[in-house]
Amino acid sequence: MTVMKSLLAAAAATVVLGAQAQALPTSGTLVVVPANGEVVHANDQVTVTLAIEEQDKDKAAAASRVNQKMNQGTAIVKKADPQAVLKTQGYYTYAVYPETAPLPPGVAAKPRVPTGWRVGQYLQVTTTNLAALPKTVSAAQGVLTLNRLNFSLAPATVRKLDDQRIAAAYKNLNERVAAIAGAMGRNVNDAVIDTIDFEGSGNYAQRANVAGARAMSADSMGYGGSQVAEPSFEPGETTLNMGLVAKVKFK
C-alpha cells in the first residue's frame, strides 16, 4: 500500500505541475518572430560572354588577328541584337614557353625564351531579347567562341517584384504569429506588432536558381567563319527571397 500511495502522490504532483506549466502567464510577453517571403519569376535577361584567342610566334600578328576578329564579332552582335549592351574586357597576352625536363642538381637553369604568344579578349553581351538569343549567338560563333551564359532577372523586373516579396513575407509573419498564439493558448487578436525589420533595413537576400545557365571553355566551340547551327537555350527561373524579423507583444 505504501508503494501504491507513493505512485499516486507522484502522479498527482505531475498533473499539478503540468497544469501550472500550461497556465504560465503570457500577458505582456514580447516575442521575436522571423518570417520569410518567396517569389518565383521566369528569367528575362541573359549575360553572354564571347571570347577570341589567337596563338602565333609573332606577338603583333596574334594581337592583330584578335583585334580584327573582336571587331568583326562586335559588329555581328550589334547587328543581330541592336538593344544589347556590350562590354569588352579581359584582354590578355601570355608568352608560350617550350616544355623542359627537370635539371640535375647543381645545374643552373638557362633563361627561358618564348616560342610563341597567346593573345585573347572577351566580349560581354547583356540583353533581354531572349527570343533572338539563339540567332545572335549562332551569328557570333562564326567568329568568336561562346564562353559562358548566365540567365537572370532584369533589374527593372526585380524592382517590380519588391511589393510581392514584401506581401509574401508579411503573410508568412501573420501565419507564424497565429501558430505561436495557438501554442501559448492565446487569441491571435491579443498580439500587437511592435516592430518589423525587413531584411535589416533593405539588405535583401537574392538566390538565383538558374536552369539552363551554361559555362563553356573557349576551346569547346570551333570558329573560323563557317555557319554555326543555332543553339538551344532554356532561361529557367529565379527565386527571390525577402526575410523580416518582427517583435510581437501579447496584451
Side-chain angles (χ1 to χ4, degrees):
M1 290 295 293
T2 303
V3 175
M4 182 61 70
K5 289 181 180 180
S6 299
L7 292 175
L8 291 175
T14 302
V15 172
V16 171
L17 290 174
Q20 290 177 346
Q22 292 176 358
L24 286 174
T26 58
S27 178
T29 300
L30 183 65
V31 182
V32 179
V33 185
N36 183 73
E38 183 177 281
V39 176
V40 180
H41 193 280
N43 291 320
D44 58 0
Q45 177 178 279
V46 64
T47 299
V48 182
T49 302
L50 302 167
I52 181 66
E53 180 178 284
E54 291 288 333
Q55 294 191 33
D56 200 286
K57 294 181 179 180
D58 186 345
K59 181 169 61 175
S64 180
R65 291 201 300 273
V66 166
N67 297 344
Q68 181 183 22
K69 290 185 177 181
M70 180 57 71
N71 288 334
Q72 292 175 355
T74 300
I76 289 172
V77 173
K78 288 181 177 179
K79 182 179 180 180
D81 188 357
Q83 73 180 48
V85 177
L86 277 61
K87 178 182 178 182
T88 52
Q89 57 188 12
Y91 202 107
Y92 61 88
T93 303
Y94 296 126
V96 177
Y97 295 95
E99 294 185 3
T100 57
L103 296 175
V107 177
K110 296 180 179 179
R112 295 196 303 166
V113 178
T115 57
W117 296 87
R118 292 173 53 208
V119 181
Q121 189 178 19
Y122 296 93
L123 174 65
Q124 179 179 287
V125 182
T126 303
T127 182
T128 56
N129 188 3
L130 301 188
L133 179 62
K135 183 178 179 181
T136 300
V137 171
S138 172
Q141 283 180 304
V143 180
L144 307 177
T145 64
L146 177 57
N147 180 267
R148 181 174 293 274
L149 276 165
N150 182 43
F151 292 96
S152 62
L153 295 178
T157 304
V158 174
R159 289 192 294 269
K160 290 179 181 179
L161 294 175
D162 272 352
D163 57 344
Q164 295 184 31
R165 289 195 288 172
I166 291 173
Y170 192 74
K171 179 182 178 182
N172 183 246
L173 172 64
N174 280 272
E175 293 170 348
R176 303 198 75 177
V177 170
I180 291 171
M184 294 172 61
R186 296 294 303 272
N187 191 316
V188 70
N189 293 326
D190 293 335
V192 178
I193 295 177
D194 178 81
T195 306
I196 298 181
D197 181 8
F198 282 92
E199 285 290 332
S201 301
N203 297 320
Y204 300 152
Q206 178 175 337
R207 299 172 186 170
N209 298 325
V210 185
R214 307 176 185 183
M216 308 177 188
S217 67
D219 296 328
S220 64
M221 304 296 293
Y223 61 88
S226 60
Q227 181 64 33
V228 178
E230 291 187 9
S232 175
F233 302 118
E234 295 295 336
E237 58 188 19
T238 291
T239 300
L240 296 177
N241 289 344
M242 174 177 284
L244 65 82
V245 177
K247 293 181 180 180
V248 180
K249 192 169 186 178
F250 284 87
K251 300 177 183 178

